[in-house]
Amino acid sequence: MIEIFVENLHARNGKWFELPIRFEEIEETLALKDGQEYLISDYMAPFTISNYESFSYMNEVAEQLDEYTHDPAINYLGELVDNGFFSDLLDAFEKIDEIHVYTDCFSYEDYAEYFIEECGYLSGIPDFIKWHIDYKGIGLDLSHDGNLYQADDQIIIEVSY
């Protein structure tokens, strides 16, 4: 769910609205007349919304958010857009099935260990050799491929496109 606080800058009043919403409803509620400026001065969303964001764009994003509300990638879409993985939020939603959030991996080293175990690369290798595997180095190498991202909360995210 996305909520925005829209202000009528001419009348100096504002109100919270839940998206998606028709812009005409906002105009009526805030008594916006032709040419009067409005400003989105606050919002509640898992990503950044600019003060003058397009309502049609925000409505599309809100509809996508409702559809994918339980996907763990939702909380990271803004970061992934900001870091160049996607051109905008709608692009990220189109490819959300290609975003994998590794909630138990807090470093590239953790991811490398998980990846190697999941792929079965260690089956049949004696423990004394396993103990000497450089997961940190492998994780660093994997991070250079360009499809891994360490989020602000340290979670590792893989974008496999």
Side-chain angles (χ1 to χ4, degrees), residues 8-79:
N8 177 338
L9 296 177
H10 179 73
R12 294 191 174 143
N13 65 347
K15 183 175 183 202
W16 283 97
F17 297 94
E18 185 176 325
L19 297 177
I21 190 169
R22 289 183 12 253
F23 184 67
E24 292 77 22
E25 289 181 47
I26 294 172
E27 285 180 316
E28 290 173 18
T29 304
L30 297 179
L32 282 169
K33 298 177 182 154
D34 288 336
Q36 285 185 336
E37 288 189 54
Y38 65 89
L39 176 74
I40 300 167
S41 60
D42 201 1
Y43 61 89
M44 292 190 310
F47 36 74
T48 304
I49 296 176
S50 78
N51 296 98
Y52 296 100
E53 195 71 67
S54 155
F55 278 93
S56 62
Y57 173 77
M58 286 190 302
N59 282 334
E60 287 182 61
V61 168
E63 289 168 7
Q64 293 293 315
L65 183 62
D66 288 344
E67 183 176 337
Y68 294 103
T69 191
H70 297 294
D71 193 307
I74 291 291
N75 296 321
Y76 302 101
L77 294 183
E79 279 187 65

Side-chain angles (χ1 to χ4, degrees), residues 122-131:
L122 299 179
S123 63
I125 296 177
D127 284 343
F128 73 90
I129 293 175
K130 290 180 188 178
W131 296 329

Side-chain angles (χ1 to χ4, degrees), residues 93-127:
F93 275 113
E94 282 180 28
K95 298 170 184 142
I96 198 164
D97 293 333
E98 299 169 16
I99 302 170
H100 306 282
V101 178
Y102 295 94
T103 56
D104 292 336
C105 296
F106 297 98
S107 67
Y108 293 125
E109 181 178 356
D110 290 346
Y111 174 80
E113 189 171 351
Y114 168 83
F115 177 77
I116 288 170
E117 287 178 19
E118 284 296 306
C119 291
Y121 293 143
L122 299 179
S123 63
I125 296 177
D127 284 343

